Amino acid sequence: MNSIAEILERELEDAFEVKNKESLHRYVVFLAENIVRKSTYDQNIAEFRSDIKVLAETMKLGFESVDKRFETVEKRFESIDKRFEDMYRYMDKRFEDMNKRFTMMFTFMNIGFSILIIITILFKFLQ
């Protein structure tokens, strides 16, 4: 960096009228200290790109694992849903069977009461 500072200082002295050499020297030293070499810049950029690639890959793997977990949960809910559907069909069948029994029972009761009424009417009529 010293060679860059010396070159800058000489070039500025030649290009401009210098009123205060110490001020020019401080300026050139400050400028030279804050200049980043291209190789350092390229190396830093390469490191950043590498870090970004690693981050992107890590995020991708994280999203894939979350997707797998969601798929597992979705399969579990599908199996639970299937069980509820099976229970619903079973209960529906049971209610249909019970409904048939009650309908048959009420039909026989009505027929029985009708026969009793007819027999009662016949006995009353015959007396």
Side-chain angles (χ1 to χ4, degrees):
M1 279 300 203
N2 272 344
S3 63
I4 292 175
E6 291 170 4
I7 292 171
L8 280 173
E9 193 170 349
R10 266 188 268 130
E11 290 297 320
L12 286 172
E13 278 180 355
D14 290 344
F16 300 103
E17 178 184 335
V18 178
K19 294 180 184 176
N20 186 346
K21 283 196 174 219
E22 288 178 19
S23 176
L24 176 65
H25 180 72
R26 285 192 306 268
Y27 170 74
V28 169
V29 169
F30 176 75
L31 186 63
E33 286 176 355
N34 290 310
I35 290 177
V36 178
R37 292 180 186 249
K38 184 171 181 350
S39 61
T40 306
Y41 173 78
D42 290 341
Q43 181 183 1
N44 287 344
I45 291 297
E47 288 175 7
F48 285 140
R49 286 183 179 158
S50 173
D51 290 346
I52 289 171
K53 284 180 184 178
V54 169
L55 256 171
E57 187 64 30
T58 304
M59 287 175 63
K60 181 180 177 184
L61 292 174
F63 286 134
E64 287 174 357
S65 69
V66 167
D67 287 344
K68 287 178 184 175
R69 280 191 234 142
F70 277 130
E71 288 173 6
T72 304
V73 169
E74 186 176 346
K75 287 178 184 176
R76 210 176 320 151
F77 278 123
E78 286 174 357
S79 68
I80 291 171
D81 191 38
K82 186 179 181 310
R83 275 194 272 163
F84 277 118
E85 286 176 3
D86 292 343
M87 282 176 39
Y88 174 75
R89 285 188 199 111
Y90 175 73
M91 294 301 288
D92 194 37
K93 186 176 184 318
R94 283 191 65 192
F95 281 119
E96 285 177 9
D97 291 344
M98 287 175 61
N99 191 22
K100 285 179 185 176
R101 281 191 225 149
F102 281 121
T103 304
M104 191 182 305
M105 184 180 75
F106 286 124
T107 304
F108 285 131
M109 284 175 59
N110 283 337
I111 290 173
F113 281 126
S114 296
I115 290 173
L116 277 174
I117 291 172
I118 291 174
I119 289 173
T120 307
I121 291 174
L122 284 176
F123 278 139
K124 288 282 184 181
F125 182 71
L126 292 175
Q127 280 183 1

